PDB file of all heavy atoms in Angstrom:
ATOM      1  N   CYS P 282      -6.601  -5.613  -7.202  1.00  0.00           N
ATOM      2  CA  CYS P 282      -7.194  -4.628  -6.292  1.00  0.00           C
ATOM      3  C   CYS P 282      -8.335  -5.267  -5.502  1.00  0.00           C
ATOM      4  O   CYS P 282      -9.017  -6.164  -6.002  1.00  0.00           O
ATOM      5  CB  CYS P 282      -7.799  -3.459  -7.071  1.00  0.00           C
ATOM      6  SG  CYS P 282      -6.608  -2.466  -7.971  1.00  0.00           S
ATOM      7  N   LEU P 283      -8.550  -4.755  -4.301  1.00  0.00           N
ATOM      8  CA  LEU P 283      -9.762  -5.083  -3.552  1.00  0.00           C
ATOM      9  C   LEU P 283     -10.699  -3.886  -3.674  1.00  0.00           C
ATOM     10  O   LEU P 283     -10.256  -2.748  -3.622  1.00  0.00           O
ATOM     11  CB  LEU P 283      -9.436  -5.308  -2.068  1.00  0.00           C
ATOM     12  CG  LEU P 283      -8.449  -6.422  -1.729  1.00  0.00           C
ATOM     13  CD1 LEU P 283      -8.329  -6.568  -0.218  1.00  0.00           C
ATOM     14  CD2 LEU P 283      -8.876  -7.733  -2.367  1.00  0.00           C
ATOM     15  N   ILE P 284     -11.982  -4.160  -3.837  1.00  0.00           N
ATOM     16  CA  ILE P 284     -12.959  -3.066  -3.812  1.00  0.00           C
ATOM     17  C   ILE P 284     -14.018  -3.377  -2.765  1.00  0.00           C
ATOM     18  O   ILE P 284     -14.260  -4.542  -2.429  1.00  0.00           O
ATOM     19  CB  ILE P 284     -13.637  -2.829  -5.191  1.00  0.00           C
ATOM     20  CG1 ILE P 284     -14.326  -4.100  -5.683  1.00  0.00           C
ATOM     21  CG2 ILE P 284     -12.647  -2.310  -6.208  1.00  0.00           C
ATOM     22  CD1 ILE P 284     -15.234  -3.860  -6.888  1.00  0.00           C
ATOM     23  N   ALA P 285     -14.635  -2.323  -2.232  1.00  0.00           N
ATOM     24  CA  ALA P 285     -15.694  -2.513  -1.241  1.00  0.00           C
ATOM     25  C   ALA P 285     -16.605  -1.305  -1.235  1.00  0.00           C
ATOM     26  O   ALA P 285     -16.196  -0.198  -1.596  1.00  0.00           O
ATOM     27  CB  ALA P 285     -15.098  -2.706   0.143  1.00  0.00           C
ATOM     28  N   VAL P 286     -17.852  -1.525  -0.856  1.00  0.00           N
ATOM     29  CA  VAL P 286     -18.818  -0.439  -0.732  1.00  0.00           C
ATOM     30  C   VAL P 286     -19.302  -0.407   0.715  1.00  0.00           C
ATOM     31  O   VAL P 286     -19.729  -1.419   1.257  1.00  0.00           O
ATOM     32  CB  VAL P 286     -20.002  -0.657  -1.698  1.00  0.00           C
ATOM     33  CG1 VAL P 286     -21.093   0.376  -1.451  1.00  0.00           C
ATOM     34  CG2 VAL P 286     -19.514  -0.592  -3.141  1.00  0.00           C
ATOM     35  N   HIS P 287     -19.196   0.750   1.339  1.00  0.00           N
ATOM     36  CA  HIS P 287     -19.578   0.892   2.745  1.00  0.00           C
ATOM     37  C   HIS P 287     -20.937   1.570   2.870  1.00  0.00           C
ATOM     38  O   HIS P 287     -21.736   1.243   3.748  1.00  0.00           O
ATOM     39  CB  HIS P 287     -18.487   1.710   3.453  1.00  0.00           C
ATOM     40  CG  HIS P 287     -18.767   2.033   4.875  1.00  0.00           C
ATOM     41  ND1 HIS P 287     -18.752   1.079   5.873  1.00  0.00           N
ATOM     42  CD2 HIS P 287     -19.081   3.207   5.485  1.00  0.00           C
ATOM     43  CE1 HIS P 287     -19.028   1.648   7.034  1.00  0.00           C
ATOM     44  NE2 HIS P 287     -19.237   2.930   6.826  1.00  0.00           N
ATOM     45  N   GLN P 288     -21.219   2.522   2.004  1.00  0.00           N
ATOM     46  CA  GLN P 288     -22.509   3.226   1.962  1.00  0.00           C
ATOM     47  C   GLN P 288     -22.866   3.449   0.505  1.00  0.00           C
ATOM     48  O   GLN P 288     -21.986   3.783  -0.298  1.00  0.00           O
ATOM     49  CB  GLN P 288     -22.383   4.608   2.621  1.00  0.00           C
ATOM     50  CG  GLN P 288     -22.475   4.564   4.111  1.00  0.00           C
ATOM     51  CD  GLN P 288     -22.337   5.916   4.777  1.00  0.00           C
ATOM     52  OE1 GLN P 288     -21.997   5.939   5.953  1.00  0.00           O
ATOM     53  NE2 GLN P 288     -22.589   7.026   4.105  1.00  0.00           N
ATOM     54  N   ASP P 289     -24.166   3.303   0.183  1.00  0.00           N
ATOM     55  CA  ASP P 289     -24.543   3.340  -1.232  1.00  0.00           C
ATOM     56  C   ASP P 289     -25.891   4.027  -1.465  1.00  0.00           C
ATOM     57  O   ASP P 289     -26.775   3.439  -2.087  1.00  0.00           O
ATOM     58  CB  ASP P 289     -24.584   1.884  -1.742  1.00  0.00           C
ATOM     59  CG  ASP P 289     -24.823   1.785  -3.237  1.00  0.00           C
ATOM     60  OD1 ASP P 289     -24.546   2.767  -3.961  1.00  0.00           O
ATOM     61  OD2 ASP P 289     -25.273   0.711  -3.680  1.00  0.00           O
ATOM     62  N   PRO P 290     -26.063   5.268  -1.010  1.00  0.00           N
ATOM     63  CA  PRO P 290     -27.356   5.912  -1.221  1.00  0.00           C
ATOM     64  C   PRO P 290     -27.717   6.077  -2.701  1.00  0.00           C
ATOM     65  O   PRO P 290     -28.902   6.090  -3.045  1.00  0.00           O
ATOM     66  CB  PRO P 290     -27.216   7.276  -0.527  1.00  0.00           C
ATOM     67  CG  PRO P 290     -25.757   7.489  -0.381  1.00  0.00           C
ATOM     68  CD  PRO P 290     -25.145   6.125  -0.254  1.00  0.00           C
ATOM     69  N   SER P 291     -26.724   6.169  -3.590  1.00  0.00           N
ATOM     70  CA  SER P 291     -27.018   6.354  -5.020  1.00  0.00           C
ATOM     71  C   SER P 291     -27.346   5.041  -5.726  1.00  0.00           C
ATOM     72  O   SER P 291     -27.881   5.051  -6.832  1.00  0.00           O
ATOM     73  CB  SER P 291     -25.840   7.004  -5.744  1.00  0.00           C
ATOM     74  OG  SER P 291     -25.553   8.238  -5.183  1.00  0.00           O
ATOM     75  N   GLY P 292     -26.984   3.917  -5.126  1.00  0.00           N
ATOM     76  CA  GLY P 292     -27.334   2.621  -5.711  1.00  0.00           C
ATOM     77  C   GLY P 292     -26.394   2.103  -6.774  1.00  0.00           C
ATOM     78  O   GLY P 292     -26.588   0.990  -7.267  1.00  0.00           O
ATOM     79  N   ASP P 293     -25.381   2.877  -7.152  1.00  0.00           N
ATOM     80  CA  ASP P 293     -24.478   2.395  -8.214  1.00  0.00           C
ATOM     81  C   ASP P 293     -23.006   2.483  -7.804  1.00  0.00           C
ATOM     82  O   ASP P 293     -22.112   2.558  -8.649  1.00  0.00           O
ATOM     83  CB  ASP P 293     -24.713   3.192  -9.505  1.00  0.00           C
ATOM     84  CG  ASP P 293     -24.487   4.680  -9.318  1.00  0.00           C
ATOM     85  OD1 ASP P 293     -24.179   5.105  -8.178  1.00  0.00           O
ATOM     86  OD2 ASP P 293     -24.619   5.416 -10.309  1.00  0.00           O
TER      87      ASP P 293
END
Side-chain angles (χ1 to χ4, degrees):
C282 295
L283 300 184
I284 57 169
V286 173
H287 176 70
Q288 278 179 202
D289 186 22
S291 301
D293 59 358

